[in-house]
Amino acid sequence: MVSKRPITAEDLSRIEVFSDPHFTPNGKAYTYVSTIINGKNEYESHLFFQNVNETESKQWTFGHHRNSNLTISPDGQTAVFQSNRSGLPQLWLIHTDGGEAQQLTTFKNGASNPMWSKDGKQILFSASLNSDDDIQNQKELSNEERQQAIEKKKNKPLLVNRLQYKSNDKGFHDDKRAQIISYDIEKESYSKLTTADEDHRLQDISPDGQYLLFTANLNPGADYENTTDLFLFNISTKNLSKLTDGKGIYYNARFSPSGNRISCFGHEYEYDGATLSEIFVFDLASGERTCLSDAWDIQLGDAMAGDTRLGQSVNGPIWSKYEDRLFFLATDSGATGLYQVTLERNLTVLYKDDNHVFGFAYDVNSDSFILGISTPTNPCNFYLLGKNLDLTRLTNSNAAFLEEVAIMNPETFTIQTEDDWEIQGWIIKPYGFNEDKKYPFILEIHGGPHAMYGQTFFHELQLLAAKGYVVMYTNPRGSHGYGQKFVDAVRSDYGGRDYADLMDAVDYALANYSYIDENRLGVTGGSYGGFMTNWIVGQTNRFKAAVTQRSISNWLSFYGVSDIGYFFTKWEIGYNLLENPAKLWDSSPLKYADKVETPLLILHGELDYRCPIEQGEQLFIALKHLRKDVEFVRFPGADHELSRSGNPNMRIARLKQICRWFDKYLKINE
């Protein structure tokens, strides 16, 4: 007998999400960010502090604001953080023993990502600036002035002269560039450290305070490239050294404790967008670059797909106190864990279980870690991983919510395909499961395609199970977590073996779970999962309902309208528009619209620049013109991140549309 109620779409607003753990300098406490959806339908993020030997946290910030990126000064007395309480994200200072926060920056376009110098005398941060901006006299606009500027921009033509002129996260680009700024605390003055007409991403500052690490593409042909180089900048002499060769992408770079070495993640596009990341170490004395991970076959960092992760967290690589090891997260077989590698390339798993480690912090004083962990039945908690690798829970987030709501635990399975590949997947039984009943079934397909479903909390999957559906989700070839050959296998074969993997998984479920009603099958997915949903309904009529989300339907037009289309099309399908339009059309679900018999609901954000809404429009018009059973739901103001970080009310409305469609077509016999 079920004692707890089923989860609802509205419960999305009740889930607290943790992120960004950091030890205090003395290692006796840590800080973190908690994000909720408040009663005003807004995201609200606050900073918390907790001693590692206590069970209660202390909240440091209040109000209906978003506070994040907290970093404590080396002496532990002061902290700087990012907050939008004045309107735009700006930097604020707060004493760690309490008191009101003081605003540090008033930059016109905001300030972000603060970092202390190791002596605590400087705060470095990023700011979006025009080339002639005076950084000493920056003034944040009032809400009224900001609104006037927005209206003025709406009435002005947009001149486009760059290939990369828009992106899903920023919208249409302008002439402002992200520059690195230094704030001298004693002099209360700013210094602009970078000036090139490209975006600069601050990575780290050396222990002696003399050098900066940043990433950027400073090549003359940057507009046509997807490379990101790593640079070493001498603050005193302004000398700039390029540490990489312009062939790849590098990120998460950090100085070793001595400042003699640099570590980072990166790769050189050996398999284009399907390339696994590596760990590199640069020896600054010899100039030698070493890859520590060249013998591995795992994806570094966190590639887990989910819909309840808000805020950033450290993935690594992080140096040990003796700089003989590096710590990092890695993605493997449906889970993420904490790993270490020595400079001699010896790899060790420090912690990995059937769950999702979404971030970590390392303390040099105790050689211990704070781990952020999500499980399929619990959105998040923080744990202390001691020097002896003993795990102690520090928080009890969402306790009241989990006491009230039934969360179903997925069952893992693995199938063998006809061509002898192993495909991992999960089944969630419906709420109130009765083994004597037959239940409708929904196949969920993740985006990417180079992402991974796995052992994490996923609200949408739980909601469908609560509505009475058997939910299956799998990692077909193309997914991360199973090695380089596996993740690369989907490229130039969209709708081929990846489609067969999904159908094999459905066949396996029907053969092994007698409670599934084979006559009531549904399918849904977003982005690549939306493409695959479109492809499936054009290839088979076995599904009785489908919901396609933020999808691709036409590779010919995607090439020119997506913010990544001009390179992603060739990466994934194998050709650009002018090289082989016939191949792009053959790989487009739109070509097979006349074959579609499955009732299809199309969900799309109107400001999606990754998979623009014209992709959904084309498919809707073609199907409607053919008098097919189709509906189209447009979400105003929503971009490609609607399901994960979009407007909360829109996210709930989206979930209700999905449930409405499946309820209409899959519950007709109940």
Side-chain angles (χ1 to χ4, degrees):
M1 180 177 179
V2 176
S3 59
K4 297 181 180 181
R5 69 169 176 84
I7 199 170
T8 66
E10 289 82 2
D11 283 329
L12 187 68
S13 299
R14 294 191 58 196
I15 299 172
E16 182 180 22
V17 180
F18 288 164
S19 62
D20 205 23
H22 288 280
F23 274 103
T24 56
N26 63 13
K28 296 180 180 180
Y30 73 105
T31 61
Y32 64 92
V33 177
S34 170
T35 302
I36 61 170
I37 297 172
N38 63 29
K40 301 172 67 175
N41 186 43
E42 297 172 338
Y43 294 105
E44 189 175 298
S45 300
H46 290 296
L47 309 175
F48 283 77
F49 169 94
Q50 183 180 6
N51 287 309
V52 295
N53 58 358
E54 296 179 359
T55 58
E56 296 296 326
S57 301
K58 180 181 179 182
Q59 187 169 340
W60 273 5
T61 58
F62 299 87
H64 300 307
H65 313 301
R66 299 204 69 171
N67 305 281
S68 62
N69 293 78
L70 177 78
T71 176
I72 297 177
S73 62
D75 64 8
Q77 301 299 307
T78 313
V80 61
F81 64 96
Q82 179 180 321
S83 178
N84 67 351
R85 60 186 65 192
S86 65
L88 288 177
Q90 299 287 359
L91 304 189
W92 294 70
L93 285 173
I94 189 172
H95 289 285
T96 54
D97 58 0
E100 290 293 324
Q102 297 177 324
Q103 188 167 355
L104 178 66
T105 63
T106 56
F107 276 55
K108 182 179 179 180
N109 304 305
S112 60
N113 302 316
M115 181 181 298
W116 290 93
S117 63
K118 301 304 187 280
D119 61 8
K121 295 181 179 180
Q122 309 273 339
I123 296 174
L124 288 83
F125 62 93
S126 297
S128 184
L129 300 169
N130 288 306
S131 58
D132 58 351
D133 280 347
D134 178 3
I135 63 170
Q136 304 298 342
N137 296 291
Q138 285 281 306
K139 180 184 177 183
E140 185 176 359
L141 299 178
S142 66
N143 289 334
E144 183 180 352
E145 290 172 328
R146 195 175 296 118
Q147 191 59 42
Q148 289 175 351
I150 292 172
E151 292 301 320
K152 182 178 180 181
K153 189 175 182 178
K154 287 181 179 178
N155 295 316
K156 183 179 179 181
L158 176 68
L159 173 63
V160 176
N161 53 22
R162 292 169 64 98
L163 181 63
Q164 301 181 41
Y165 76 93
K166 64 179 179 180
S167 57
N168 187 68
D169 59 336
K170 294 180 180 179
F172 291 120
H173 296 182
D174 51 30
D175 293 331
K176 292 187 285 293
R177 301 288 179 260
Q179 304 293 353
I180 300 171
I181 310 297
S182 175
Y183 176 71
D184 189 301
I185 295 175
E186 183 178 339
K187 296 179 181 178
E188 297 184 350
S189 63
Y190 300 98
S191 298
K192 186 177 178 182
L193 301 180
T194 58
T195 58
D197 187 26
E198 290 296 338
D199 290 326
H200 304 74
R201 296 172 180 84
L202 176 63
Q203 303 290 302
D204 201 5
I205 184 169
S206 63
D208 63 8
Q210 294 301 306
Y211 294 92
L212 284 186
L213 277 177
F214 70 82
T215 56
N217 187 337
L218 304 184
N219 298 329
D223 190 37
Y224 299 89
E225 300 171 347
N226 291 292
T227 57
T228 301
D229 282 305
L230 180 60
F231 292 88
L232 183 67
F233 177 72
N234 188 309
I235 297 175
S236 300
T237 67
K238 311 300 181 186
N239 183 57
L240 187 64
S241 302
K242 186 177 178 182
L243 301 179
T244 52
D245 52 14
K247 297 179 180 179
I249 180 171
Y250 300 89
Y251 57 101
N252 289 16
R254 292 176 178 87
F255 284 101
S256 65
S258 69
N260 295 327
R261 295 186 178 97
I262 294 167
S263 65
C264 72
F265 287 153
H267 63 72
E268 296 194 342
Y269 288 116
E270 292 89 346
Y271 298 88
D272 292 328
T275 309
L276 298 186
S277 295
E278 309 280 5
I279 291 185
F280 295 100
V281 171
F282 298 80
D283 188 303
L284 294 180
S286 67
E288 181 182 2
R289 183 180 77 169
T290 303
C291 179
L292 299 181
S293 54
D294 48 7
W296 309 345
D297 199 21
I298 58 174
Q299 171 63 5
L300 306 183
D302 177 8
M304 187 77 74
D307 64 352
T308 53
R309 294 288 348 130
L310 296 165
Q312 63 185 31
S313 295
V314 170
N315 286 322
I318 298 293
W319 288 95
S320 67
K321 60 183 174 183
Y322 299 120
E323 64 183 74
D324 57 340
R325 295 167 291 158
L326 286 160
F327 309 113
F328 58 94
L329 300 187
T331 294
D332 183 41
S333 302
T336 62
L338 178 67
Y339 295 67
Q340 76 170 22
V341 62
T342 68
L343 297 187
E344 291 75 35
R345 295 185 172 87
N346 296 317
L347 179 66
T348 304
V349 180
L350 297 181
Y351 174 83
K352 183 175 180 287
D353 203 346
D354 290 333
N355 53 37
H356 172 204
V357 181
F358 58 79
F360 76 98
Y362 167 67
D363 175 44
V364 298
N365 304 287
S366 61
D367 263 341
S368 60
F369 302 86
I370 300 292
L371 302 184
I373 297 177
S374 174
T375 75
T377 57
N378 195 318
C380 57
N381 268 308
F382 287 120
Y383 295 77
L384 178 67
L385 185 70
K387 187 175 182 178
N388 297 323
L389 303 183
D390 49 314
L391 196 67
T392 304
R393 183 167 58 83
L394 298 172
T395 60
N396 190 20
S397 73
N398 298 293
F401 170 71
L402 295 174
E403 281 293 321
E404 177 186 340
V405 175
I407 305 296
M408 312 306 292
N409 203 13
E411 174 186 334
T412 305
F413 65 85
T414 301
I415 65 168
Q416 202 84 13
T417 66
E418 289 183 359
D419 57 345
D420 212 30
W421 288 52
E422 288 190 349
I423 305 299
Q424 185 180 20
W426 293 264
I427 285 276
I428 305 179
K429 293 177 180 177
Y431 173 80
F433 175 73
N434 182 339
E435 62 182 10
D436 296 326
K437 285 186 62 177
K438 288 277 191 177
Y439 292 93
F441 166 98
I442 295 174
L443 169 66
E444 281 264 5
I445 309 170
H446 68 63
H450 313 304
M452 181 188 75
Y453 276 141
Q455 305 282 9
T456 193
F457 185 83
F458 208 124
H459 175 255
E460 179 179 325
L461 305 181
Q462 291 291 336
L463 174 64
L464 291 171
K467 289 289 185 179
Y469 298 100
V470 177
V471 181
M472 186 179 77
Y473 49 109
T474 72
N475 287 324
R477 65 194 75 189
S479 305
H480 271 310
Y482 308 91
Q484 183 63 79
K485 182 179 179 182
F486 193 94
V487 73
D488 187 53
V490 71
R491 295 172 60 233
S492 298
D493 191 37
Y494 274 42
R497 286 307 314 177
D498 54 347
Y499 167 67
D501 290 346
L502 293 166
M503 295 305 99
D504 286 348
V506 173
D507 291 340
Y508 171 88
L510 293 175
N512 289 273
Y513 302 101
S514 59
Y515 49 82
I516 297 174
D517 186 342
E518 64 179 3
N519 296 313
R520 292 187 289 165
L521 306 182
V523 59
T524 186
S527 198
Y528 163 81
F531 159 83
M532 186 52 68
T533 299
N534 297 340
W535 184 264
I536 286 171
V537 297
Q539 306 297 315
T540 178
N541 295 328
R542 71 187 306 184
F543 294 92
K544 303 309 177 187
V547 180
T548 183
Q549 308 170 50
R550 59 188 187 281
S551 70
I552 297 170
S553 67
N554 183 355
W555 288 107
L556 292 166
S557 62
F558 179 85
Y559 165 84
V561 297
S562 169
D563 64 342
I564 62 173
Y566 57 92
F567 65 85
F568 188 83
T569 303
K570 182 162 186 172
W571 280 4
E572 299 297 316
I573 305 303
Y575 298 96
N576 283 332
L577 173 66
L578 298 180
E579 292 174 335
N580 194 341
K583 167 65 174 176
L584 268 58
W585 183 237
D586 288 343
S587 300
S588 298
L590 189 63
K591 177 179 178 179
Y592 311 98
D594 62 329
K595 306 275 196 308
V596 175
E597 300 298 333
T598 305
L600 181 66
L601 177 65
I602 302 171
L603 307 181
H604 224 115
E606 292 189 343
L607 295 184
D608 189 336
Y609 291 153
R610 183 60 40 85
C611 297
I613 195 168
E614 62 89 30
Q615 293 286 307
E617 288 174 326
Q618 290 187 67
L619 185 59
F620 172 74
I621 292 300
L623 292 174
K624 198 67 177 175
H625 193 209
L626 291 167
R627 291 174 168 75
K628 305 290 186 177
D629 192 348
V630 61
E631 289 183 12
F632 184 25
V633 181
R634 304 169 64 110
F635 293 87
D639 63 15
H640 200 64
E641 299 302 308
L642 170 62
S643 67
R644 297 173 282 246
S645 61
N647 175 281
N649 278 349
M650 288 289 186
R651 291 176 69 188
I652 293 170
R654 167 190 161 273
L655 292 168
K656 289 185 174 181
Q657 288 290 342
I658 295 171
C659 293
R660 172 185 69 85
W661 195 255
F662 285 134
D663 287 353
K664 178 179 179 180
Y665 290 97
L666 300 185
K667 290 188 174 181
I668 54 176
N669 295 329
E670 293 186 358

